[in-house]
Structure formats: structure tokens, C-alpha cells
Amino acid sequence: AITKAIEIISSSAVKGNAEKHLPSLAQEAAALVQLRSANTMEARQQRVAAYLRSMAKEHNSRVLGALAERVAADPFAKVKKMIKDLIVRLMEEANEEAEHKGWCDTELSTNEQTRKEKTEAVEMLHAEIDELEAS
């Protein structure tokens, strides 16, 4: 198979075609790279806004100009800001809850310690009462 491919590539029917086809292939590759980089949402949005601005100037249309400005502005900016604000608020609430939990844990351990001390005191007093009653 390899020898057959080498024969075809070396034949006179194929010679000279590289100069004819390879430059266009390189151009297509460059065009694909440009297309890929321009395919971002922001780039398309800016191209549409520029087109609308040019049409607004060409047709002297204030409506198209206003539309171009709305397209140029990020339509999701408000949503993005709301999401970021929500995340910040949730993080603050989580921190507050963690602080409150720490306070509750401290209070619970303090109360448990106090309960133990009072229970021991009560038991000692009961033991003393029993001892005094026995005598």
C-alpha cells in the first residue's frame, strides 16, 4: 500500500499540483482559525452592533442606533451582577452561620460543665444529708 502511494505521488499526473492546491489549503486553515477566534459571543455581538451602527448612519435611523447601543451593551450584565451579589450574600450568610454555630457550641459546653458541677454539688449535699440523718 505504501509503495502504491509513493508511485501515485511520484507520477507525472500529480506533480505540480502541490503549488496549485496547497496555498488554498493554507488559506482555508487561516480562515478557520480566524472563524474560530471570532466565534465568541462577544465578538459576534460587537460585529452585529457595528453593522447596526453603520446601517443607522447610512439610513439616518435613530431606532437602529438605539438598537445598536442595546446590542453593544451586555444583555446579561444585570443577570451576572445579580448572580455575583447572590453568591456574596450566601457566603456572608454561611460565615454568619459558622460564627453562630461556634457561639452555640461554646454555650453548650459551658452549660454542660455548669450542669456537671451543680449535679456534683447536689449529690454531695444529698450524701451529707444522708450522713447527718444516719447519725
Side-chain angles (χ1 to χ4, degrees), residues 19-81:
E19 293 80 22
K20 178 180 166 187
H21 294 290
L22 285 180
S24 66
L25 184 63
Q27 288 173 351
E28 287 176 13
L32 286 174
V33 169
Q34 288 174 350
L35 242 176
R36 185 176 180 127
S37 66
N39 268 348
T40 64
M41 184 66 163
E42 294 169 358
R44 283 185 275 165
Q45 188 176 352
Q46 294 306 318
R47 285 193 339 229
V48 168
Y51 175 75
L52 287 173
R53 275 191 217 101
S54 68
M55 288 293 113
K57 286 180 184 176
E58 183 178 319
H59 297 289
N60 201 19
S61 171
R62 291 190 314 223
V63 174
L64 281 177
L67 182 60
E69 292 306 313
R70 285 197 66 182
V71 168
D74 187 5
F76 295 108
K78 187 175 182 180
V79 174
K80 289 177 187 175
K81 184 183 181 312

